[in-house]
Amino acid sequence: MEKSKVMQHEKFGEKDFQTIIGNLLRYGVWISLSVAFIGGIVYLMHHGSEIEDYSVFKENDRNIFEVISTVVNGAIDGRGEFLIFFGIILLFLTPVFRVLLSLFSFMLEKDYLYVVITLIVILIIITSISFGFSH
């Protein structure tokens, strides 16, 4: 009887983590879309009558930390284009947070095979971000 209570508690903990992860994904997407939508409204209110010239591509040579810093500061200032970018960053970070939460869950469950696999996934994400912004 004592052993079944322990097993039920472990299963309850796994189910809790699955619920938390599901909510993280659900609310992360809704929050990021809401931020981007509000940013679009703000942008159109201030720049709706302007015509953008897309004939010339403007490349950005800054590193990822400068870009994120600029976007966060612009979002704090309430600038529409930066609110849109911030929403996109939140949308990108939602599955990354899911992977980090999964890592924490696997560590608590002492499932070391999945801890290693999740660490490899995190390493791949970090590598792809690093090479994506380097020239």
Side-chain angles (χ1 to χ4, degrees):
M1 181 114 177
E2 194 67 33
K3 191 174 184 178
S4 66
K5 284 184 180 180
V6 171
M7 290 182 71
Q8 286 176 351
H9 179 67
E10 288 177 5
K11 288 182 183 177
F12 182 74
E14 290 175 23
K15 187 176 181 182
D16 282 345
F17 263 109
Q18 294 302 321
T19 302
I20 291 169
I21 288 171
N23 286 336
L24 171 72
L25 292 172
R26 181 179 306 111
Y27 296 126
V29 169
W30 278 109
I31 290 169
S32 62
L33 290 176
S34 298
V35 169
F37 183 75
I38 291 168
I41 292 171
V42 170
Y43 181 79
L44 288 175
M45 286 173 39
H46 293 101
H47 304 283
S49 62
E50 295 177 11
I51 297 175
E52 186 67 33
D53 180 20
Y54 292 110
S55 63
V56 178
F57 177 73
K58 301 169 195 165
E59 188 173 356
N60 190 346
D61 288 337
R62 297 181 294 178
N63 68 36
I64 184 68
F65 301 110
E66 291 176 16
V67 172
I68 290 175
S69 173
T70 302
V71 168
V72 169
N73 289 331
I76 289 171
D77 291 341
R79 295 182 54 193
E81 62 270 27
F82 292 109
L83 284 168
I84 295 169
F85 291 140
F86 187 67
I88 292 169
I89 290 171
L90 288 176
L91 186 62
F92 172 76
L93 287 177
T94 299
V96 173
F97 287 142
R98 185 235 186 267
V99 171
L100 292 173
L101 190 58
S102 296
L103 176 65
F104 182 69
S105 170
F106 295 140
M107 290 172 72
L108 287 179
E109 294 172 8
K110 295 182 171 105
D111 194 345
Y112 298 116
L113 175 63
Y114 283 102
V115 168
V116 171
I117 292 170
T118 307
L119 286 171
I120 291 170
V121 170
I122 292 170
L123 181 65
I124 291 169
I125 291 170
I126 291 170
T127 304
S128 66
I129 290 171
S130 299
F131 287 122
F133 278 94
S134 65
H135 295 284

